[in-house]
Amino acid sequence: MKKQAYNFLKLQAERDKASKQQRGELTQLFPSESDIPEKFRLNSNLDQQRVLIDGQIIPWKGALAEVFSPIYINNGGSLDRKRIGSYPAMTRQAALKALDSARWAFSSGNGTWPSFPLSRRIESIEKFLERLENQKENILRTLLWEIAKPYHELEDEFERTRQYIEQVIKVACQKEEDSLLLKKEKGILGLIHDEPYGIALCLGPYNYPLFETFSLVLPALLAGNVVIIKPPKFGVLFFDFLLEAFQDCFPPGAVNIISGDGKKIIEPLMKSGEVDVLAFIGSAETANRLISLYPRKNRLHSLLGLGAKNAAIVLPDADLDVVVSESVLGALAFNGQRCAALKIFFVHKEIEATFRKRLLDAVSKINLGMPWMERVRITPIVDPERLPYLHELVREALNKGARIGNKNGGRSLESIFVPAVLYQVNSKMRIYWEEQFGPIIPIVSYHDIKEPVTYISNSPFGQQLSIFGTKTKALIELIDLVKNQVSRVNINTKCQRGPDLFPFTGKKDSAHGDFSILNILNYFSSQAVVAARETELSQALFQSLQPPKNLDINQGS
Ligand code: G3H
């Protein structure tokens, strides 16, 4: 008995020592102030005390919301979360003022912005893109502190935003050109053109505060809508660098920015019934709550990017070199904080052990650290308050028989969470079903392809899927089984939104609408027709309404 107690104490002491050592190792990942390279230092806090409403940048005298970075500062071993600024915690009244301003700016489609011809709107947006470019360094440095995304990925996000908008402009021009063609069908002449809906409320997510917010806002504007932007909870401070650009490039009221607690400022807007388009990327729960508040449901147009639990199915003949490199990127890019991340792996039991060994090897080589470090993959989690949830998912799975394959996997310190490769996962565990949105890689070993196929069919999500295999026949059979359940099947590649010309949508609870360059404008405008019987008068009218390019081109007889 004594010996047992001694062994237990010894084991406990060894564990304590190991965990102290691990804590020490993780502490070292956080920088002291002097470790931060000059280029990325915040020389002062970003206390934003002004708001853009009704074309005016006015001082904000009300309450401010404090912003702390997910990056902690190592002060001789003690870690302090860095305060980086604050922004207006706007009130219901202020939000309703933004709504008034938007309503006035749209004026039933007769306001300045919706009345501008497309060419003039493009001019404004291009001017805005130039101003955005001028602020690139400030924006990226601020975002680095707000969301701790690796700097090179922020640079890509910036470039992607510019390219996306430039291409949407081309699509708008093409649509405009098509609308100039007078259509004739059964003796009726018609000009079919796009009209904006009115007020678009745009809410982007914190994992892509720039790209995914601006790829809603700028197409909405391009289509002639006026917008109210609510930046995400993380990724709001950088907007301060753009207030003058918004003010200078767009007429008063066309762009309004509100910030603060969503409950206080978004809910009254939805309850007013005056928002025409809800463009939202975030959780289904929030989207449902917002839509439920809207009084005239059939009048609300929505474009929604929601949750996903994209699976990878690894067939027995898969090329493991490809699977492993795509899995690491697919599951761990930006700490797995991507809606399109690979969030569960079904691996055929014949190769599961080999796959796991190679994946563990690859994961052990991943760099953890701060977002300014080169080749860093794992950085602080944007919202450290989510860490208890990640731990709970891992703990629950371990209690039900799962194992962690990698040393330190699932350990955390403040905002850093060491990726956990979790195997022996099964359907009784929450991690099997829930969207972790973090660096946990759950592996399920299957022997019958029915298991992953049933999983995909039963899942409430339906965004994408990755299949890894080398035999054409088996791939085709599997694609046929699942293609109706998801919006994109990736073969031997990870799931992802891009290229942005491809449809980006989802089935079931994953999305409503398509965010691609080719289709996004359709969610911010509706087709309208001016039609008349073919008479001399109507011919003359159409000529002056919108000089058709070619009267002979028609769609019927
Ligand atoms: O969070 C949403 C998507 O993951 C964005 O696209 O595939 O380029 O990360 P991505």
Side-chain angles (χ1 to χ4, degrees), residues 444-458:
V444 182
S445 163
Y446 75 88
H447 75 278
D448 186 336
I449 194 68
K450 276 191 198 133
E451 180 177 2
V453 170
T454 309
Y455 176 84
I456 309 279
S457 306
N458 292 344

Side-chain angles (χ1 to χ4, degrees), residues 27-152:
T27 304
Q28 293 315 310
L29 295 177
F30 292 101
S32 67
E33 286 285 0
S34 59
D35 292 336
I36 303 163
E38 184 65 36
K39 178 178 174 191
F40 304 104
R41 270 186 210 163
L42 277 185
N43 292 324
S44 57
N45 277 342
L46 301 157
D47 289 304
Q48 181 189 329
Q49 296 179 359
R50 51 201 202 129
V51 292
L52 172 67
I53 290 186
D54 205 13
Q56 305 285 322
I57 298 176
I58 42 176
W60 173 254
K61 302 212 170 82
L64 296 171
E66 298 274 288
V67 184
F68 288 87
S69 173
I71 300 174
Y72 284 67
I73 300 298
N74 188 342
N75 289 315
S78 104
L79 297 178
D80 303 310
R81 195 162 173 192
K82 188 172 168 67
R83 182 186 180 282
I84 53 173
S86 58
Y87 59 82
M90 289 169 74
T91 54
R92 178 175 178 277
Q93 285 80 352
L96 290 174
K97 211 160 168 227
L99 181 66
D100 275 349
S101 135
R103 193 191 304 113
W104 174 82
F106 191 69
S107 287
S108 305
N110 295 310
T112 308
W113 181 252
S115 301
F116 274 173
L118 179 68
S119 56
R120 185 80 192 274
R121 281 187 223 141
I122 292 175
E123 227 172 81
S124 301
I125 289 175
E126 285 176 341
K127 219 163 87 191
F128 178 78
L129 288 181
E130 269 173 41
R131 301 281 294 265
L132 181 76
E133 191 69 40
N134 295 342
Q135 291 294 341
K136 181 172 173 179
E137 265 190 38
N138 285 331
I139 291 173
L140 296 192
R141 186 175 45 245
T142 307
L143 276 172
L144 175 134
W145 284 96
E146 290 195 272
I147 63 167
K149 184 179 278 193
Y151 194 75
H152 62 95

Side-chain angles (χ1 to χ4, degrees), residues 210-504:
L210 179 72
F211 171 63
E212 291 204 334
T213 307
F214 282 59
S215 64
L216 299 175
V217 169
L218 294 173
L221 285 166
L222 189 60
N225 300 278
V226 297
V227 297
I228 301 177
I229 309 171
K230 152 81 171 66
K233 187 170 165 202
F234 309 103
V236 52
L237 294 178
F238 80 93
F239 272 84
D240 196 49
F241 294 107
L242 295 171
L243 295 191
E244 280 80 8
F246 277 123
Q247 185 185 38
D248 297 345
C249 300
F250 301 99
V255 176
N256 305 277
I257 303 175
I258 57 175
S259 56
D261 175 12
K263 253 192 165 349
K264 283 193 196 140
I265 59 173
I266 298 298
E267 294 194 358
L269 301 189
M270 292 305 288
K271 281 183 187 159
S272 74
E274 304 221 27
V275 167
D276 298 284
V277 188
L278 173 65
F280 171 81
I281 301 179
S283 75
E285 195 193 343
T286 306
N288 291 340
R289 196 180 69 249
L290 294 180
I291 292 168
S292 75
L293 300 172
Y294 198 81
R296 300 178 287 183
K297 304 226 165 7
N298 53 336
R299 285 177 63 164
L300 180 67
H301 302 275
S302 33
L303 175 61
L304 310 173
L306 307 171
K309 178 92 178 170
N310 292 340
I313 303 180
V314 185
L315 298 171
D317 51 281
D319 175 342
L320 288 183
D321 284 341
V322 175
V323 188
V324 169
S325 63
E326 293 288 324
S327 301
V328 169
L329 274 181
L332 296 182
F334 194 32
N335 306 309
Q337 299 167 123
R338 296 167 51 239
C339 62
L342 284 172
K343 296 182 181 129
I344 188 158
F345 289 75
F346 290 91
V347 185
H348 193 274
K349 69 171 189 178
E350 271 175 25
I351 54 162
E352 192 269 337
T354 321
F355 162 73
R356 181 164 23 103
K357 193 166 164 284
R358 294 182 59 177
L359 179 70
L360 287 168
D361 185 44
V363 170
S364 72
K365 293 185 181 133
I366 277 177
N367 294 323
L368 279 69
M370 293 302 117
W372 50 79
M373 287 164 54
E374 266 180 48
R375 289 186 294 279
V376 69
R377 169 85 43 226
I378 297 297
T379 53
I381 298 281
V382 183
D383 182 4
E385 287 179 20
R386 291 193 73 254
L387 259 65
Y389 171 69
L390 297 178
H391 281 299
E392 181 47 34
L393 289 180
V394 172
R395 194 165 30 239
E396 194 250 9
L398 294 178
N399 286 342
K400 291 183 175 164
R403 294 281 169 268
I404 291 182
N406 52 327
K407 185 173 163 239
N408 293 345
R411 289 193 177 265
S412 74
L413 183 64
E414 306 300 2
S415 51
I416 283 276
F417 188 94
V418 181
V421 177
L422 208 57
Y423 62 102
Q424 288 179 200
V425 166
N426 64 47
S427 63
K428 305 218 166 36
M429 302 167 185
R430 287 172 62 192
I431 188 68
Y432 188 89
W433 299 108
E434 293 180 24
E435 179 182 12
Q436 63 269 41
F437 210 71
I440 304 175
I441 309 183
I443 302 174
V444 182
S445 163
Y446 75 88
H447 75 278
D448 186 336
I449 194 68
K450 276 191 198 133
E451 180 177 2
V453 170
T454 309
Y455 176 84
I456 309 279
S457 306
N458 292 344
S459 169
F461 302 111
Q463 192 195 69
Q464 298 192 13
L465 164 71
S466 288
I467 302 177
F468 294 92
T470 51
K471 295 199 172 133
T472 313
K473 188 167 170 283
L475 288 172
I476 291 173
E477 279 170 11
L478 188 51
I479 294 170
D480 270 347
L481 284 173
V482 294
K483 69 177 190 301
N484 182 257
Q485 296 296 313
V486 290
S487 290
R488 172 163 158 173
V489 180
N490 300 281
I491 308 299
N492 294 318
T493 49
K494 69 185 173 76
C495 297
Q496 60 186 24
R497 172 172 173 162
D500 293 318
L501 271 162
F502 284 11
F504 183 58

